Amino acid sequence: MPFIESSKFNTDSLELITDSSVLENAKYLIEKFVDSKEYGSILRIEHRDYRRLYNYLIELENNNLNILELGWLYDIKNILIPICKLAIILSEKYDCMITNPPYLSSGDCSSKLNNYLTKEYKIAKKDLYATFMITDFLKPNGVQAMINQHKWMFLSSYKELREYFINNRKLINAVHLGTKAFDEISGEKVQSIAFIFQKNVNLDYISTFIKLDDYSSPELKENQLFVSQKFLNDAETFFKQESSAPFKVGAVLIDAGHGGREFRRGVAQEHR
């Protein structure tokens, strides 16, 4: 669904809304969606009864309207109703979120987008892909699966982001794909990581890490995914290291397909 901005909305059209609570929510959305095309799905909005607003707006077509009011209805149908649909989607919470986010460094963002990122996503403002890591779409215990660039794992500029995940998320697993994860992307510049988080906190949880960055093609990486060696580590240890090879630091190596051993609070235990 394309994003629609409210900047061209004729506020006189709100005269058609006589319910005070519905009117309040309509005014809120018009204010929030002024520059919505700049922000897209990272636009943060309050959870309100937008379904009631939507149903109210749909029913306006059944009213006996004069010529002036029919002109107002045009804006309602073509701007406010589509915005209301977007608001329902953006304000809902979901059990699962799967995404390959857009990539745009702060230096390439517009001034409006940079200001919004600084206000709403300060710890992830360095790149738009990191912003999608801390959106508000998940229910408690919801699962987030994502693939993005690996820089957030070890650069000091993402330290606050890693601390956020320690205190707000449980890292289930991560696969370091490195370069050549996709046929469409050549060269050695783009290094990728795929991972799964859960929206809860368990500092005792032992995450699983798979290192595939040494393999030189998507086919080799896919073939090795379930047979390659794995690393076990608690997320706090993993996130607090600042190393270009974080999958090797402080982790216990196990062989795929065998019992192996777990790493828990620095003590290796038999894996069951």
Side-chain angles (χ1 to χ4, degrees):
M1 180 182 296
F3 269 76
I4 295 177
E5 294 185 344
S6 60
S7 53
K8 296 182 179 180
F9 183 80
N10 180 3
T11 54
D12 289 343
S13 303
L14 296 177
E15 294 287 338
L16 293 175
I17 302 176
T18 57
D19 185 297
S20 59
S21 62
V22 171
L23 179 61
E24 180 184 352
N25 289 339
K27 288 180 176 178
Y28 171 77
L29 290 184
I30 291 168
E31 179 183 353
K32 294 295 291 187
F33 276 79
V34 169
D35 295 312
S36 63
K37 287 185 179 179
E38 288 276 351
Y39 315 134
S41 53
I42 64 169
L43 180 67
R44 282 181 164 165
I45 61 172
E46 296 175 1
H47 185 76
R48 299 189 180 192
D49 194 353
Y50 301 119
R51 293 186 184 277
R52 179 168 179 253
L53 169 60
Y54 174 80
N55 292 332
Y56 186 97
L57 297 176
I58 292 296
E59 285 298 317
L60 289 177
E61 289 190 85
N62 297 326
N63 295 348
N64 292 320
L65 304 176
N66 59 41
I67 294 178
L68 178 61
E69 291 171 334
L70 286 172
W72 292 343
L73 184 63
Y74 179 87
D75 268 11
I76 296 288
K77 291 176 61 177
N78 291 279
I79 298 179
L80 189 53
I81 288 178
I83 283 175
C84 191
K85 290 181 180 179
L86 287 167
I88 291 171
I89 295 171
L90 292 175
S91 63
E92 286 289 339
K93 303 299 180 184
Y94 301 92
D95 295 306
C96 183
M97 174 182 174
I98 304 173
T99 183
N100 179 1
Y103 303 91
L104 188 66
S105 67
S106 57
D108 295 321
C109 293
S110 68
S111 58
K112 284 183 179 179
L113 181 54
N114 262 327
N115 290 337
Y116 189 79
L117 293 179
T118 300
K119 178 183 177 182
E120 298 289 345
Y121 298 93
K122 186 176 180 180
I123 64 173
K125 66 178 183 178
K126 296 293 292 183
D127 197 292
L128 201 56
Y129 80 79
T131 300
F132 278 83
M133 296 171 70
I134 56 171
T135 50
D136 298 326
F137 294 120
L138 289 180
K139 295 178 181 178
N141 297 312
V143 174
Q144 175 179 0
M146 185 175 291
I147 182 170
N148 60 24
Q149 295 182 8
H150 76 162
K151 293 183 291 185
W152 64 270
M153 293 193 300
F154 56 85
L155 290 184
S156 59
S157 55
Y158 290 100
K159 182 179 180 180
E160 287 185 86
L161 179 63
R162 293 192 293 272
E163 290 175 347
Y164 170 87
F165 280 115
I166 292 172
N167 296 316
N168 296 276
R169 297 288 188 270
K170 179 175 74 180
L171 178 62
I172 297 174
N173 54 43
V175 180
H176 194 193
L177 297 165
T179 60
K180 299 183 175 67
F182 302 96
D183 287 324
E184 298 82 1
I185 303 176
S186 60
E188 300 293 327
K189 186 175 181 180
V190 178
Q191 301 226 30
S192 302
I193 178 172
F195 54 89
I196 298 177
F197 285 106
Q198 189 171 27
K199 190 177 180 181
N200 61 37
V201 182
N202 182 352
L203 296 179
D204 291 323
Y205 187 82
I206 303 302
S207 309
T208 301
F209 303 91
I210 304 175
K211 189 175 185 298
L212 300 179
D213 58 320
D214 292 331
Y215 299 99
S216 58
S217 72
E219 292 77 17
L220 287 173
K221 295 177 193 293
E222 182 178 359
N223 292 337
Q224 290 295 319
L225 179 60
F226 296 107
V227 299
S228 65
Q229 292 177 319
K230 295 178 173 63
F231 297 90
L232 296 177
N233 210 340
D234 65 278
E236 186 172 8
T237 300
F238 176 77
F239 281 129
K240 285 189 174 179
Q241 61 202 19
E242 293 184 4
S243 164
S244 59
F247 279 39
K248 293 182 178 180
V249 179
V252 173
L253 181 64
I254 65 171
D255 292 322
H258 299 281
R261 299 174 69 82
E262 284 191 355
F263 181 84
R264 187 178 300 275
R265 294 294 185 186
V267 179
Q269 300 176 343
E270 292 297 333
H271 181 69
R272 297 181 181 180

